[in-house]
Amino acid sequence: MPAQDTEAIILKTFPLGEADRLVSFLSRSSGRMRGVAAGARKLKNRYGSTLELLAHVQMEYIERETRDLVRIQQCDLLDSFHAAQSEYSLATGLALVSEIVEILLPEREPAEAMFRLVLLTAREIERRKEWRIPAGYFVFWAVKLAGWLPPLDRCGKCGAQLGSGDGYHASWSPGQLCRDCRHPGMRAISLPAREVAPLFARKGLEKLSEAEAPGGLVGELRDACLDWIEHHTERKLITRNLLETA
Ligand SMILES: [Zn+2]
């Protein structure tokens, strides 16, 4: 089998056997894949710091005929997110992105738009030394790309316009409900927070300022989007609880 050469983002690694690592990664050309980095747990190894969370690498791997795990031959670092990886709150932002990509993308289906979104998000967390706006932007676009973003101006049940009133969401509900239709336990999203959505939709993350997208409003929108991801994937996001302390 000839070696494949691809740009990739490292999603997660797990210890494998005595000396190896199992690596989940997002290939720019082939989508989410898994491979083995042989000897990666040895003190001296050829992968260096290329297998860190959301590291952006040029990767060479070999397909193995009988197994779905590829053999990772070599990685060269293209973008280092060292500051973000080594600071707890920033690393929590990276981990949220990684977990969502893992549960959202099927294996081996090209996902170029998601690749670019993940790379942009990691670069912005590193550049800003701040995770709230980049992670909020990522979560919003992840929901939008998946086709799960409900109309934000009206109730998903009775269709009433929300106007300046709150919308209500929960991880057991696909859309957003008005005050009259809401169920106990649903959380509110305010009009100013809903208005962050069109801003995220039309403006590049690099150009968004804290003044336009204040942390509190971004947090409200993120919370609603995380509910919709949990609803559609039928999974609980583990990193979601860590955000409270990040
Ligand atoms: Zn309603």
Side-chain angles (χ1 to χ4, degrees), residues 154-162 176-182:
R154 60 180 189 271
C155 173
K157 192 174 174 197
C158 72
Q161 292 291 323
L162 295 175
Q176 176 191 230
L177 302 181
C178 70
R179 175 171 284 275
D180 294 333
C181 296
R182 71 176 159 162

Side-chain angles (χ1 to χ4, degrees), residues 137 140-141 194-204 208-209 211-214:
Y137 183 92
F140 167 78
W141 270 101
R194 296 197 302 273
E195 285 174 342
V196 172
L199 181 70
F200 278 179
R202 70 168 185 268
K203 202 163 179 182
L208 280 167
S209 69
E212 292 171 290

Side-chain angles (χ1 to χ4, degrees), residues 23-58:
V23 181
S24 167
F25 62 95
L26 183 59
S27 154
R28 183 158 208 154
S29 51
S30 307
R32 188 168 66 82
M33 299 178 71
R34 291 179 305 138
V36 175
R41 291 171 68 207
K42 289 180 181 161
L43 200 54
K44 280 198 164 184
N45 69 74
R46 57 186 152 153
Y47 304 101
S49 62
T50 60
L51 300 180
E52 301 291 325
L53 185 59
L54 296 196
H56 178 214
V57 300
Q58 192 68 35

